[in-house]
Amino acid sequence: MKSSKTVRNWGIAIVGLFLVGFAVFKMANDTSESLPVTSYYGYDRAIPLKDSVEKVIDTTELTVLSVSFNSIHDKRVTGLLSLPKKSTTPSPVIILMHGLGDHKAVDYVEYGNGFFLKNGFAVLRLDISDHGDRENVTYDFDLTGDYKYWTRNVIAQTVFDLRRAVDFIETRKELDSKRIGYYGISLGGIIGTVFCGVENRVKVPVIALAGGQLNLLYKEKAFSREAKDFMGIVEPLNFVKHIAPRPFLMLNAKNDEVVHPAMSKLLFNAAEEPKEMVWYDAKHKDAPIDRIYGDGLNWFKEYL
């Protein structure tokens, strides 16, 4: 997996947090739910999608559609929907999301798209808010810096966008809206944990190279009320428990330099059964792409 300079810098900051020692981890499950975090992502499903669909690739093996639709806050979501031709109709569909600084057609997402297609799944890839075709003005992605509200809004807006994506899937006769899976990588995994916690129409979540306890970014102020309240609506630990009883899979790197393995363990521990975690002897940016998609595929084949 490749990672941008922004991702690496964010990862270095996260790794530095763990120098505070074991005492921090003893307190690590203390997250704030003083805000109504689970109801924050409610929205009006009656708002028209005003979706646009245009065929961009059509071969004997697949069809790729360029799609866009309206989300809340007057945002327009952009994506690609890939449909396998040699598959049952309607097809089960996987929502596949990229990481920080990337976009829906970045190489590792393209790889996953082809991988799932070959195995009979339709794939919907979206741009995270302010990424890819949705990029407008880009600031430093930093939950503690000068653009911390903008950063938090990127995460929160994408959760709303993903809920609208499920609305879009329900309008497409080629897709089986009762068999929706989610596969999110890095930031896409963090966002996806929140999303799957509030959206029960997603039946099988797979989260790769992600973790929880984001308030640790505040270092010595990590457990202040201010830090926990600010992170509340985007903190994966506040949402992962709501995924059960759906089967939850986490895929993580033992030597991850971006998302510290302790953060992944905290997220996994907060999840309820059924759940499973797989570790790879790798770093964040060189995680074995064939294996992490292969393990995700096996999970989807078993449960979706």
Side-chain angles (χ1 to χ4, degrees), residues 127-140:
D127 287 315
I128 287 175
S129 178
D130 285 294
H131 285 65
D133 290 335
R134 304 178 65 188
E135 184 176 348
N136 185 9
V137 177
T138 300
Y139 303 105
D140 291 333

Side-chain angles (χ1 to χ4, degrees), residues 11 14-31 190 209-216 223 235-237 250-271 277 279 282 284:
I14 292 175
V15 171
L17 302 175
F18 290 87
L19 297 177
V20 296
F22 179 75
V24 169
F25 299 116
K26 194 171 182 180
M27 302 169 62
N29 285 324
D30 179 22
T31 62
I190 291 171
L209 307 176
Q213 204 73 58
L214 300 183
N215 57 298
L216 290 176
F223 297 99
E235 172 53 64
L237 292 182
M250 288 187 65
L251 308 170
N252 294 93
K254 293 179 180 178
N255 306 307
D256 200 318
E257 75 284 19
V258 175
V259 179
H260 196 283
M263 297 178 76
S264 302
K265 292 176 184 178
L266 288 170
L267 184 60
F268 182 75
N269 290 340
M277 175 179 266
W279 289 97
H284 191 91

